[in-house]
């Protein structure tokens, strides 16, 4: 199974919430509540995204974070790359920072590169606008389990 790290997943979730209210200055604590993650985790992710140029950080008592550019110009691929580095489904692809030990004799390396390129292109086609649309539709019709979760303890997302 190909799976993103929790931090990359949370990065997409936090930025999607920001894209749902693009003119709002967002705090780590506020985003953490909206996205059901800890404030410490949200703060860590927001710092990484700001360092990579996807967010603008505003200091001070009324500070917070804002999208560095329009949500339509930020892709899921941008966020994943900021959180994890180059998108690579295996270690043998061109953008991977890890050197594959059998790269010189691998007979399927070109196939993996095609798969990696397809995954990257798919992630580049999905913008924060697309992701924010799901937030708006879920706010209008919250899933039944979310209603129960909000009444009780905050879950640990998988």
């Amino acid at each position: 199974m190909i799976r993103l790290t929790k931090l990359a997943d949370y990065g997409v979730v936090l930025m999607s919430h920001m894209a749902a209210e693009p003119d709002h200055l967002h705090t780590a604590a506020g985003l953490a509540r909206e996205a059901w993650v800890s404030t410490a985790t949200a703060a860590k992710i927001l710092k990484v995204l700001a360092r990579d140029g996807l967010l603008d950080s505003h200091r001070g008592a009324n500070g917070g974070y804002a999208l560095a550019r329009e949500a339509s110009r930020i892709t899921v691929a941008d966020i994943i790359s900021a959180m994890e580095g180059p998108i690579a489904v295996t270690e043998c692809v061109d953008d991977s920072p890890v050197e594959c030990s059998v790269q010189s004799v691998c007979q399927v390396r070109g196939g993996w590169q095609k798969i990696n390129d397809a995954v990257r292109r798919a992630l580049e086609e999905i913008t924060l606008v697309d992701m924010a649309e799901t937030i708006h539709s879920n706010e209008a019709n919250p899933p039944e389990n979310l209603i129960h979760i909000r009444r009780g303890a905050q879950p640990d997302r998988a």
Side-chain angles (χ1 to χ4, degrees):
M1 170 186 288
I2 299 171
R3 184 180 293 216
L4 295 175
T5 65
K6 283 186 177 184
L7 292 181
D9 174 22
Y10 295 160
V12 172
V13 172
L14 294 173
M15 289 196 66
S16 297
H17 280 277
M18 294 177 78
E21 297 182 89
D23 298 326
H24 184 74
L25 200 57
H26 301 269
T27 65
L31 285 168
R33 276 190 307 276
E34 289 179 31
W36 296 84
V37 300
S38 73
T39 302
T41 298
K44 178 179 178 179
I45 292 167
L46 294 170
K47 286 179 187 175
V48 170
L49 295 169
R51 186 178 59 229
D52 207 62
L54 295 176
L55 298 177
D56 290 328
S57 173
H58 302 273
R59 296 187 180 272
N62 296 319
Y65 293 89
L67 299 177
R69 55 186 186 259
E70 293 178 20
S72 63
R73 294 182 45 230
I74 300 173
T75 67
V76 171
D78 294 331
I79 301 166
I80 293 170
S81 294
M83 297 304 302
E84 296 190 11
I87 295 171
V89 294
T90 64
E91 294 178 351
C92 64
V93 295
D94 291 337
D95 294 341
S96 177
V98 180
E99 190 68 32
C100 176
S101 62
V102 294
Q103 182 174 332
S104 62
V105 295
C106 181
Q107 296 177 341
V108 295
R109 183 171 186 267
W112 279 116
Q113 187 63 51
K114 287 179 185 178
I115 293 168
N116 189 69
D117 292 343
V119 169
R120 185 182 321 109
R121 277 192 309 273
L123 294 171
E124 288 171 347
E125 291 178 8
I126 303 168
T127 69
L128 277 180
V129 170
D130 301 320
M131 299 301 289
E133 286 175 358
T134 63
I135 289 173
H136 288 302
S137 66
N138 286 335
E139 286 174 349
N141 299 304
E144 187 63 29
N145 61 343
L146 183 58
I147 294 168
H148 294 298
I149 290 169
R150 289 198 171 160
R151 290 183 188 145
Q154 184 171 326
D156 184 13
R157 292 186 66 227

